[in-house]
Amino acid sequence: MSNWMTCREAAQRWACSERWISILCTNGKVPGAEKRGRGWLIPADAPRPADGRIKSGAYQKRHDEVPLTAEQHPLPLGISDFARAAGECRYVDRTRFAAQLLSQRPESLILTRPHRWGKTLLLDMVRRYFEDTGENTSALFRDRAVWSCGERVTEQQGRYPVVILSCRDLRFDSWAQMRARLGDRIRLAFARHSALLDSGDCDPHLLTRFRSILEGDCGEAELSGALEVLILLLEQHHGTRPILLVDDYDAPLLEAARRGFGDAAVDFMSNLLSGALKDNPHLRFGVLTGVVPVLLPGLEHLRLDTVAAPDFSLGFTAGEIDALADGAGDQLARHYGVPGRDGEMRCCPGAVLSALSGAAQPVVIRDEALLDCLDQAGQEAQLRLLELLQGATLSQEFDLHALTVSSAAALWGRLLSLGYLSARPGEMRGLYALSLSCTAAAGELERHILLRWAEQGLLSADRAAAVREVLRNRDLAGMRPELGRLFSECLAAGGGYPALALGLQALVGEQYRLSGSWEGNPGRFCLQLFPKSGELPVVALRVRSGKRLSDDQLRTLAQTALGQISPKSLGVKPGTAVLKFGAARSGEEVRLVSES
């Protein structure tokens, strides 16, 4: 495959959008392109097709087109090409970030935010602002916020060579496969600067290394030093220090750790990035984006800007949402808003754009990182998640930088990085007040709990749908058999109090307030559901267990558990409608009795 590149790789090499490359291939504008499945394969040496829309750095409309008003421009949903987003769409201006990079002058910056917070688009804006392409690209920025930041900022526009490397979407079963793909990405970064081969200002020895990396004729050790070589050559050729931009630097690290070869990925990425970023006098500055701020060896000195301590603002404010769609700001801020340092609510850009566009989405969008967190959550962590879903604030410490979710602190740190939690400094040093970040985060967490519990056999999707149906229709007669089946299935699958309580909170939390207690033994607990409205009955479940019980013994024990449920034990008035369930479990055998 080294002789071919995908549309995504071509888009990175030619500095345009993946969709536009696909259109060019479909229209026969890319010589040698071949259709493979749903995508295209493009010869690696194919020249960049001429784009009639671009003359001087800005997209140009044809003279026969009627200019669109601001309200008629599309939303930049799924667009990570700054020229398209700013030139053709309703763009929320984040160009001041380029000025902040200059004014705050970090040697290098690690910027982490949850998925869909606009990091890739932001990085493309930085590239287009600073990169010397040989053409005047200032037209993209003259009407933007960055142009009002003074001459010291505007004179830096279009002055630097830029190295850009994308590490996203590297999902492979072995380190050899992942390293090979990383090598392809590095060669794409080199290919953008292939003019160096004809330079008379570069060290011949370094050019030999450049050629061997570009042609894939190098080992892992040489490849891990590739960025350092490229940066030095660019400074020699251009006479000015280059800028390094790395998108999703944490993605291969997290994926490798998840698949069991994390050490190899850490070693390679540490060598690749530390050689380029640590005390490198030939680098102007670097920006790394990601979700989890993994601190690699050699990069401990880099400035961090994380969701827990943000200095740069990426989220949309209510006012910015109103500018995209008048009147939608307050409503979406209530649903998606996360409190910022300044007290103003900031919303996930991708979620807002999806909501405004009316984009159809499946009921559950799988977030594998969140599912991994649920898999690693033990019984105690499940109980804390239950408290969070019920609106509580937890006083906890968290580890934001952990590569794997191997402790409670790492679990809370990962959920914070993924955007499901927000944190405020607590009353004691080292402890933070953790809560669900927004209403949308609660809904996503509940959906993923039900998804994972269904996949583990604890709570089938069909049973969950049936319970929702009887609750929605206020079918009191149907509640008893459906809840009985749900309890029986979960208990038979080995579910204890934490798992069942968390699943029920996710399933019926809108209609019921859940409480319960257990004796430290997942097989002995009681669980109560109290309706939030008077139309539904109280639901009570008491579970007992024993070893090697016969069928008759199980039934007797279940009946005993049922008899222990009373209005007094529930704290309700006599005559209150109660659905009572008594259950007994021995190994995989479960018997359940009920009455109303």
Side-chain angles (χ1 to χ4, degrees):
M1 292 293 290
S2 59
N3 295 327
W4 299 89
M5 57 183 174
T6 64
C7 286
R8 175 169 293 178
E9 292 164 343
Q12 294 170 346
R13 179 182 297 185
W14 294 338
C16 53
S17 71
E18 185 178 346
R19 179 175 178 271
W20 185 245
I21 297 295
S22 180
I23 292 173
L24 291 175
C25 291
T26 302
N27 294 335
K29 301 293 186 181
V30 182
E34 296 183 6
K35 184 76 170 178
R36 297 287 178 87
R38 296 182 179 180
W40 290 88
L41 287 181
I42 300 167
D45 57 354
R48 187 186 192 281
D51 188 343
R53 302 171 300 168
I54 304 176
K55 300 299 183 185
S56 61
Y59 282 109
Q60 304 293 322
K61 299 293 183 181
R62 299 193 309 268
H63 293 297
D64 59 344
E65 287 183 337
V66 177
L68 297 177
T69 65
E71 293 75 14
Q72 290 173 320
H73 280 88
L75 294 164
L77 181 62
I79 295 176
S80 56
D81 180 339
F82 172 74
R84 284 190 63 208
E88 297 183 344
C89 303
R90 282 172 276 174
Y91 173 67
V92 175
D93 198 331
R94 289 292 179 268
T95 59
R96 197 178 295 273
F97 179 71
Q100 290 174 296
L101 287 173
L102 293 172
S103 63
Q104 302 190 24
R105 300 181 67 84
E107 179 180 341
S108 289
L109 170 71
I110 294 178
L111 176 71
T112 59
R113 293 294 187 277
H115 296 294
R116 306 187 73 199
W117 275 71
K119 302 183 295 294
T120 301
L121 177 59
L122 185 77
L123 215 59
D124 192 59
M125 181 277 294
V126 173
R127 176 184 70 82
R128 289 183 181 271
Y129 186 80
F130 288 108
E131 188 168 33
D132 179 4
T133 64
E135 298 181 355
N136 182 2
T137 57
S138 63
L140 281 170
F141 299 96
R142 290 187 179 276
D143 295 330
R144 299 295 171 187
V146 67
W147 219 251
S148 65
C149 294
E151 185 177 350
R152 190 184 65 83
V153 173
T154 58
E155 68 182 8
Q156 305 296 315
Q157 198 275 320
R159 284 189 51 185
Y160 299 91
V162 175
V163 178
I164 186 159
L165 173 66
S166 173
C167 298
R168 61 169 45 192
D169 298 332
L170 294 171
R171 301 182 182 92
F172 297 95
D173 293 327
S174 71
W175 168 240
Q177 293 173 312
M178 182 178 284
R179 191 207 64 80
R181 192 60 171 153
L182 270 170
D184 290 341
R185 298 288 179 82
I186 293 170
R187 283 187 283 277
L188 282 175
F190 272 53
R192 295 185 72 244
H193 302 283
S194 57
L196 290 172
L197 293 171
D198 300 321
S199 174
D201 300 316
C202 295
D203 184 321
H205 174 68
L206 290 177
L207 284 177
T208 299
R209 292 181 63 185
F210 179 92
R211 185 185 297 276
S212 67
I213 293 170
L214 181 61
E215 294 177 352
D217 186 22
C218 65
E220 182 171 322
E222 187 174 1
L223 188 64
S224 68
L227 293 180
E228 188 176 5
V229 170
L230 181 55
I231 287 168
L232 181 54
L233 285 171
L234 287 171
E235 186 193 32
Q236 291 176 352
H237 178 67
H238 291 274
T240 188
R241 292 177 297 163
I243 293 168
L244 173 63
L245 307 175
V246 182
D247 195 23
D248 285 331
Y249 87 100
D250 61 324
L253 298 166
L254 298 174
E255 191 65 24
R258 181 169 170 263
R259 294 174 184 264
F261 48 90
D263 290 345
V266 167
D267 289 343
F268 180 85
M269 294 297 290
S270 296
N271 293 330
L272 179 71
L273 296 175
S274 64
L277 294 168
K278 185 177 182 180
D279 300 326
N280 189 346
H282 308 289
L283 181 70
R284 179 65 174 82
F285 65 79
V287 180
L288 279 60
T289 67
V291 174
V292 177
V294 180
L295 292 182
L296 292 169
L299 299 184
E300 299 90 344
H301 68 290
L302 267 61
R303 178 183 169 195
L304 288 174
D305 189 288
T306 70
V307 67
D311 289 326
F312 298 116
S313 175
L314 273 67
F316 290 173
T317 66
E320 289 170 335
I321 298 172
D322 278 335
L324 293 173
D326 188 33
D330 288 341
Q331 178 183 357
L332 291 180
R334 284 193 296 271
H335 190 63
Y336 296 107
V338 179
R341 274 189 170 183
D342 55 3
E344 189 168 17
M345 304 299 281
R346 305 279 177 175
C347 303
C348 171
V352 168
L353 293 175
S354 294
L356 292 178
S357 67
Q361 297 184 356
V363 174
V364 174
I365 303 172
R366 289 182 70 96
D367 184 341
E368 294 294 343
L370 175 57
L371 292 173
D372 287 343
C373 288
L374 294 176
D375 289 341
Q376 297 301 320
Q379 292 181 350
E380 189 65 28
Q382 288 178 358
L383 292 176
R384 301 289 81 77
L385 286 172
L386 174 62
E387 292 178 40
L388 288 168
L389 286 174
Q390 292 176 329
T393 297
L394 306 181
S395 180
Q396 299 281 339
E397 61 180 7
F398 62 82
D399 181 357
L400 206 62
H401 311 294
L403 190 58
T404 58
V405 182
S406 55
S407 66
L411 172 66
W412 306 128
R414 186 60 52 86
L415 290 174
L416 189 61
S417 292
L418 293 172
Y420 293 99
L421 299 182
S422 61
R424 302 188 312 276
E427 296 180 359
M428 297 180 61
R429 186 175 181 179
L431 293 179
Y432 290 81
L434 301 181
S435 59
L436 291 176
S437 59
C438 60
T439 303
E444 284 300 306
L445 181 56
E446 289 174 345
R447 285 192 286 272
H448 280 77
I449 289 169
L450 294 177
L451 173 62
R452 185 53 101 210
W453 271 218
E455 293 173 344
Q456 294 178 349
L458 294 175
L459 190 62
S460 73
D462 290 342
R463 188 65 54 221
V467 171
R468 281 200 188 98
E469 183 71 15
V470 296
L471 289 177
R472 183 167 51 249
N473 295 331
R474 298 296 193 264
D475 181 3
L476 304 186
M479 284 185 63
R480 180 177 169 184
E482 291 299 341
L483 285 173
R485 295 185 188 104
L486 184 150
F487 293 149
S488 295
E489 286 184 5
C490 185
L491 293 172
Y497 173 73
L500 180 57
L502 191 57
L504 282 174
Q505 177 65 39
L507 181 61
V508 303
E510 289 187 9
Q511 296 90 1
Y512 278 97
R513 177 177 57 83
L514 183 146
S515 69
S517 62
W518 64 316
E519 302 170 16
N521 180 345
R524 297 177 61 85
F525 62 87
C526 57
L527 190 152
Q528 300 92 32
L529 299 173
F530 297 98
K532 294 180 178 180
S533 70
E535 303 176 17
L536 295 171
V538 174
V539 178
L541 169 69
R542 185 173 288 271
V543 179
R544 291 291 179 261
S545 64
K547 295 181 179 179
R548 295 182 293 277
L549 299 180
S550 66
D551 185 68
D552 287 342
Q553 290 173 318
L554 276 172
R555 293 183 183 280
T556 300
L557 188 57
Q559 198 66 48
T560 299
L562 182 70
Q564 294 173 334
I565 302 172
S566 65
K568 182 177 180 180
S569 67
L570 296 174
V572 299
K573 296 178 180 180
T576 301
V578 179
L579 287 180
K580 297 187 289 186
F581 297 87
R585 178 164 58 183
S586 180
E588 296 181 358
E589 295 297 321
V590 175
R591 295 294 179 270
L592 184 136
V593 294
S594 65
E595 67 178 40
S596 56

